[in-house]
Amino acid sequence: MSEPERLQKILARVGIASRRVVEEMIEDGRVVVNGEVAELGQRADPDVDAIEVDGVLVGVRPDTVWYLLNKPAGVVSTASDPQGRPTVVQLVPEEPRVFPVGRLDAETEGLLLLTNDGEVTHRLTHPSYGVEKEYLAHVEGTPARGALRRLREGVELEDGITAPATAAMVSPGVVRLVIHEGRNRQVRRMCEAIGHPVVRLVRTRIGPLVDTTLGPGEWRPLRQDEVRALERAAVPTPPPD
Ligand code: URA
């Protein structure tokens, strides 16, 4: 646990706004601590207190890190590999220890998050939270309209039919696919099922996060506004009627 600090100091440090502006936000009743509207001068402990601004939980734990990595092909997204292949954790700083948020297959490229924030990791990877993931799938041949419709409406896989997805051709042989289930090898299996196996797969978006500037193997820390956007994206989807 850390020492309780004034709210304006905590919120200014994580980049919400300057201390003076945060004070105004507190006076306007926009800051809530553990469910109660905060008062000016109030202190909080960022390790234990839930602090919200405009109804959005703020990631204020100073020891929490988030990295966005452009994973190259041939690197596994587990913390260690029995076959001795390179792992994604070897591409980012060693300390503090971070873990990949979900998995990409060894041969899949593109955006992968790593963090030491276990709670948000759980929400981001759990299917009921429905965080969208977008992929560019380079496939064999060029799927016809009917095949794309199958991807959108649901494909029968051995572990059940897939949920509605977005699928569009971006160029001959390249499909942009947006899914939110995250089953094992899902995109590869969906494309295989429509008769167009994947030859190259790149993840281009995770919820609100995109980055076209990172080269293969490069990473960067998330900005605070990105962490907040991610937390907003990871809310439970209502159960179907
Ligand atoms: N779907 C796949 O088939 N592979 C991945 O790595 C991610 C999604």
Side-chain angles (χ1 to χ4, degrees):
M1 265 198 341
S2 48
E3 282 289 294
E5 287 178 294
R6 285 191 195 279
L7 277 172
Q8 59 266 40
K9 190 169 170 194
I10 299 171
L11 293 175
R13 185 175 58 229
V14 300
I16 297 287
S18 68
R19 283 194 200 187
R20 197 183 53 74
V21 172
V22 173
E23 283 173 8
E24 285 172 14
M25 295 168 90
I26 296 171
E27 282 178 329
D28 291 344
R30 294 168 60 188
V31 180
V32 166
V33 178
N34 300 328
E36 308 245 335
V37 176
E39 288 174 9
L40 198 58
Q42 188 170 332
R43 289 171 186 269
D45 180 341
D47 279 344
V48 293
D49 293 316
I51 306 174
E52 292 167 62
V53 175
D54 294 334
V56 177
L57 201 58
V58 178
V60 287
R61 278 153 294 164
D63 51 354
T64 301
V65 295
W66 285 90
Y67 303 131
L68 185 62
L69 170 74
N70 181 359
K71 181 183 120 36
V75 176
V76 296
S77 50
T78 46
S80 68
D81 182 51
Q83 296 170 40
R85 288 172 294 183
T87 73
V88 289
V89 294
Q90 293 166 349
L91 295 172
V92 297
E94 232 172 296
E95 292 290 332
R97 198 164 150 70
V98 291
F99 300 90
V101 178
R103 299 271 159 89
L104 288 179
D105 305 330
E107 290 318 310
T108 302
E109 303 157 54
L111 298 181
L112 180 72
L113 282 167
L114 295 106
T115 184
N116 56 357
D117 185 333
E119 199 265 330
V120 182
T121 297
H122 171 75
R123 289 196 277 140
L124 282 170
T125 48
H126 200 279
S128 66
Y129 288 86
V131 177
E132 287 186 346
K133 282 120 195 160
E134 182 177 300
Y135 297 88
L136 281 184
H138 300 242
V139 297
E140 278 179 22
T142 296
R145 268 195 270 174
L148 290 177
R149 194 174 332 113
R150 285 182 62 204
L151 291 177
R152 286 188 205 112
E153 292 176 355
V155 179
E156 189 68 51
L157 300 178
E158 58 187 33
D159 51 357
I161 192 155
T162 56
T166 307
M169 294 301 299
V170 290
S171 56
V174 184
V175 183
R176 177 181 294 117
L177 202 57
V178 182
I179 61 170
H180 52 82
E181 291 180 287
R183 298 193 217 165
N184 193 25
R185 299 180 73 80
Q186 181 167 344
V187 173
R188 290 177 197 274
R189 290 190 292 139
M190 287 172 79
C191 294
E192 177 92 42
I194 60 158
H196 294 276
V198 167
V199 290
R200 180 180 176 208
L201 186 58
V202 185
R203 181 152 72 186
T204 51
R205 180 166 67 84
I206 303 169
L209 300 179
V210 288
D211 192 307
T212 53
T213 64
L214 291 172
E218 288 182 350
W219 62 274
R220 65 170 176 84
L222 287 190
R223 299 185 310 267
Q224 278 300 324
D225 62 295
E226 290 177 315
V227 175
R228 287 200 297 279
L230 205 54
E231 288 178 338
R232 267 197 301 272
V235 294
T237 46
D241 294 332

